[in-house]
Amino acid sequence: MTWSIENNRCLRCGGCVSVCPTAALELKDNVIYDEKLCTLCGICEKACPVEAIKVTTQ
Amino acid sequence: MNDVIVIGAGPAGTACAKKLAENGFSVKVFDKRAEIGAPKRCGEGLSEASQQFVGRIPERCIAQKIKGARLYAPDGRYLDAILSEGGFVLERKVFDKWLAEEAAKAGATVQANTFISDIEKDTRGYFVGVKGEFLGNEFKEKAKVVVCATGAESPLRNKALGVFSKVNLIDSCLQYEMTNVDVVSDLIHIYLSSVLAPRGYVWVFPKGDHRANVGLGIIPQEKKPKAYLDEFLKLHPEISKGSILEVNAGCVPVGGMVKDMVANGFVLCGEAANHVNPIHGGGIKEAVMSGQMAADVIAECLKKNDVSKKALSKFNDIWWKERGDHLKRVEKLRETLEKLSDGDLNDLVDALKPEDIIEFARGAKLSVLAKVLMRKPRLVSIARHLL
Ligand SMILES: Cc1cc2nc3c(=O)[nH]c(=O)nc-3n(C[C@H](O)[C@H](O)[C@H](O)COP(=O)(O)OP(=O)(O)OC[C@H]3O[C@@H](n4cnc5c(N)ncnc54)[C@H](O)[C@@H]3O)c2cc1C
């Protein structure tokens, strides 16, 4: 199970941060990911306007 | 020690800071952006009437003056709603800086490029300051009240109050600022379609000299805004012939206004509290109003030397009375409209009168929509449902 972001697709809009229920994401120069807080729910992937985030559950 | 620290120099934060500074309180505003207002994350539309709260907007912040809105049905027919007051398409990068200047001139200190990483609490459970970083140097600073005006994009609101945006209550948006496009330049253009922009709409907001913000917001789903925007552009050669000057994205809350925006020594305002108009996603005016209402309550609490949750909760009461109940009605309106098929929308635009559009934008009651729907036989059943 992994969370990943393609920084060359990401537009730094912070949409993923706004919907994250566990405050696992933060927008600085790039999106910062806190593995300890993430539950891999995939909501950020859904919100992202540009397919920058991938959450795989296998 | 500062009286107030404001996190975020968007319209909410600077409006709040300005009002507090005018009342003689010491205020610091921190924003992580190297340049306040940039990158923009906005269609930049604002009604002229908003100046009642924002103040008189200087010419340099205005890209284009607007007479009204052109609303397009899915079948391409349209209706013009000419507003008595009109509106603006702003230059947000200039506008946000102007608002920050206004706060600074009133006596607040504004500092860009300052990332706030945490909000600190004392042993009594009061928020008492922030932890931040300016040009590589970490610092801590204390205040009697911390205002979180970070917009929706910060985890601080979640860490402090457990607030985040529900994914079904955001519009996921992509926008191109384009040049060399041909559209009527003194109207904003709104395209409705349940197929081309499910739940949301496509907008073309002219910025003068053949420039325009061309964007769309949709309910989040597997198919992304870019695919929808590309489809729209394919159908509109008068726009797609242009060039892309900027790519902007964002997720704007179109519902889920936060019920309880305060804690001991802490206030959430603006888009951070999902204070956005749920029918069109406009958040500038709401942010300013929210920031100002927060400032009024904070000023009163500081004067009385009581910044407890109980004292600050007057902000909840005032905001919900002045804005929340109204925006809740607007949300209901959107919920009804989003169920309409393209056929229904064609009929709706056909049945609309210009003054209806103006009333909807202001947040008309459901009964007004019902009255419009009653004009079309196939929409009557939806209308009955509303009454
Ligand atoms: C695509 C799109 C189009 C839109 N179009 C329109 C429109 O046409 N008209 C309209 O009225 N509204 C529009 N909106 C909504 C509008 O842009 C926002 O609602 C409005 O900017 C909210 O103001 P705010 O001050 O609450 O937050 P923001 O303007 O988001 O300001 C928050 C500030 O806080 C800063 N910040 C965040 N976290 C931190 C931190 N940790 N440390 C320091 N600083 C931080 C940010 O850098 C930012 O400058 C649109 C939104 C989107 C996404």
Side-chain angles (χ1 to χ4, degrees), chain B residues 8 10-12 31-33 41-45 92 116 150 271 283-284:
Chain B
D31 200 294
K32 65 180 175 181
R33 294 181 174 185
R41 204 179 283 151
C42 189
E44 306 182 286
R92 272 288 302 261
I116 302 301
T150 54
E271 196 194 81
I284 301 169

Side-chain angles (χ1 to χ4, degrees), chain B residues 216-244:
Chain B
L216 112 175
I218 52 165
I219 187 164
Q221 54 190 285
E222 221 159 287
K223 189 171 155 189
K224 295 288 176 184
K226 179 170 185 306
Y228 283 100
L229 191 55
D230 287 347
E231 269 168 39
F232 171 82
L233 286 171
K234 243 191 255 154
L235 296 171
H236 292 272
E238 76 283 8
I239 299 169
S240 55
K241 76 181 181 63
S243 296
I244 298 172

Side-chain angles (χ1 to χ4, degrees), chain B residues 290-361:
Chain B
S290 172
Q292 289 173 343
M293 287 178 205
D296 286 340
V297 173
I298 294 166
E300 209 181 295
C301 292
L302 285 170
K303 273 180 207 150
K304 290 188 185 146
N305 221 357
D306 178 6
V307 295
S308 65
K309 177 176 168 64
K310 187 158 178 276
L312 289 168
S313 70
K314 195 169 170 198
F315 174 51
N316 292 333
D317 305 339
I318 292 178
W319 188 83
W320 275 96
K321 182 167 169 280
E322 299 285 327
R323 297 310 295 162
D325 293 340
H326 166 76
L327 293 179
K328 206 76 204 160
R329 279 209 306 272
V330 178
E331 192 178 355
K332 288 259 147 49
L333 202 66
R334 178 191 38 73
E335 283 166 4
T336 307
L337 289 174
E338 75 186 61
K339 291 193 195 101
L340 302 184
S341 67
D342 272 11
D344 297 337
L345 286 169
N346 287 332
D347 275 3
L348 174 69
V349 174
D350 205 40
L352 277 171
K353 296 186 177 132
E355 53 274 22
D356 301 324
I357 300 183
I358 295 163
E359 228 177 307
F360 286 143

